[in-house]
Amino acid sequence: MTHLTTTAATLLLASLLIPSASAGQRDQPTASNRDSVYAELAKAPKKAAARRNPLAKDPDAIAGGAKLFSQHCAECHGATAEGGKKGPSLRAPEVQQSTPGALFWLLTNGVVRKGMPVWSKLPDAQRWQLVTYIKSLGAGENPTNTESSAP
Amino acid sequence: MLYIEYEQISGADKILKEVEGHDVEADYTVPNAIARQEHNHEMEFKLLLSKNFNGWNIAENTIATKNLTGGNPWEFGYAVGASRPLGLRASVERCNLCRENFIAGVEMYGGLGDRYSFGLHDTSHYLAPVVAWNLPSDWTLRLSPGFGLNDQSHRFLLRWGISREFSGFGATMARLLGGH
């Protein structure tokens, strides 16, 4: 019973922190934070940045990636990746001009200190689907597949 | 990842969250009326190692436990497992029952004795298939029937769990602790 009490106390602490998280997420990312996240893309090792997207020509990859985006990314980056809450826009030239390999590397490793989680728990194929979707957006354009992108 | 847990439990708490030291089936035959008089304060340390490879997740836990009452020795345990989503690519449709939402695997766990008698002697070990269902709402349901591998083991264990992942929790903690 005491063990359960300890567990309950831990859960209570977690629940107290969650409203704080939601409140923090209302803030737009600062310019310096946004730029520093973009700058991480340039830090991808050459070998990683040069990797080719195996799903680049897969017709279903964009739609699958859009679904994954709405599940995992839209909360921070906005429903159509225009940026929002605490994640920067993924339509920005810094992202769209990056190589698929660099995006895959960033998804895999995250930028934890800037709030970008590590997504290595997703299988490689799903991370490539996300890269395919993000690259399909193009700088400042509407998403290629709007049906699945809204949460 | 390093995981540290403190437990204040009585001897009548018979939930077997993990197997360590010389945990054996016979420990559970003590009547609760007697076992309830035993109170333990335990510190548990786990080293969690995990690697994703070709869609497979390979994980290993090394467990070290110290009962802070009564001068008990350090006890050790292990868990190793491999699991894989049933589908590696996300399907186009929104669905709860898509193959990629299900993970299947197998786990083996058991005790490694204690500081004075480290090894497999007088320890119990289990082999357990694992099935997990990741719901799009970030909830995960997990079910794992475990089968005892030696005479010291329970013949059958059933582990189940419900968990939810809160995105951004780490960043929030960092902000609260003075980071940004």
Side-chain angles (χ1 to χ4, degrees), chain A residues 1-3 17-18 21 55 58 60 63-64 67-68 70-71 75 86 113 115 120-121 123 125-126 129 150-151, chain B residues 7-9 13 17 52 85 88-95 98 100 136 165-169 171-173 176 180:
Chain A
M1 178 57 87
T2 312
H3 171 71
L17 292 171
I18 292 159
L55 303 180
D58 185 322
D60 290 335
K67 188 179 83 170
L68 289 168
S70 69
Q71 288 175 352
E75 183 183 351
K86 57 183 181 179
R113 66 185 183 285
S120 59
K121 68 176 183 180
Q126 292 188 22
Q129 284 180 295
Chain B
E7 286 184 338
Q8 185 181 350
I9 54 178
D13 289 329
K17 284 173 59 190
N52 294 313
L88 293 179
R89 289 191 194 185
S91 55
V92 173
E93 303 84 21
R94 287 179 165 276
C95 51
C98 305
E100 72 265 20
E165 184 172 318
F166 297 99
S167 58
F169 185 76
T172 303
M173 287 297 292
L176 288 173
H180 51 86

Side-chain angles (χ1 to χ4, degrees), chain B residues 127-144:
Chain B
L127 189 68
V130 183
V131 178
W133 181 22
N134 291 324
L135 293 162
S137 55
D138 288 341
W139 285 95
T140 298
L141 309 179
R142 185 179 297 269
L143 189 68
S144 174

Side-chain angles (χ1 to χ4, degrees), chain A residues 34-101:
Chain A
R34 180 195 63 207
D35 292 344
S36 61
V37 172
Y38 290 151
E40 291 294 322
L41 284 165
K43 295 180 182 175
K46 281 184 182 175
K47 189 177 175 184
R51 286 184 71 180
R52 296 181 64 183
N53 181 353
L55 303 180
K57 294 178 181 173
D58 185 322
D60 290 335
I62 295 175
K67 188 179 83 170
L68 289 168
F69 185 89
S70 69
Q71 288 175 352
H72 303 300
C73 316
E75 183 183 351
C76 295
H77 292 286
T80 55
E82 75 283 10
K85 297 186 178 176
K86 57 183 181 179
S89 170
L90 302 181
R91 295 163 174 273
E94 291 91 334
V95 176
Q96 292 300 321
Q97 291 168 9
S98 292
T99 66

Side-chain angles (χ1 to χ4, degrees), chain B residues 38-56:
Chain B
E38 178 187 337
H39 296 279
N40 297 320
H41 299 266
E42 286 189 359
M43 291 296 297
E44 182 176 294
F45 301 83
K46 286 184 188 176
L47 175 63
L48 311 176
L49 301 175
S50 172
K51 174 77 176 170
N52 294 313
F53 181 72
N54 278 353
W56 285 90

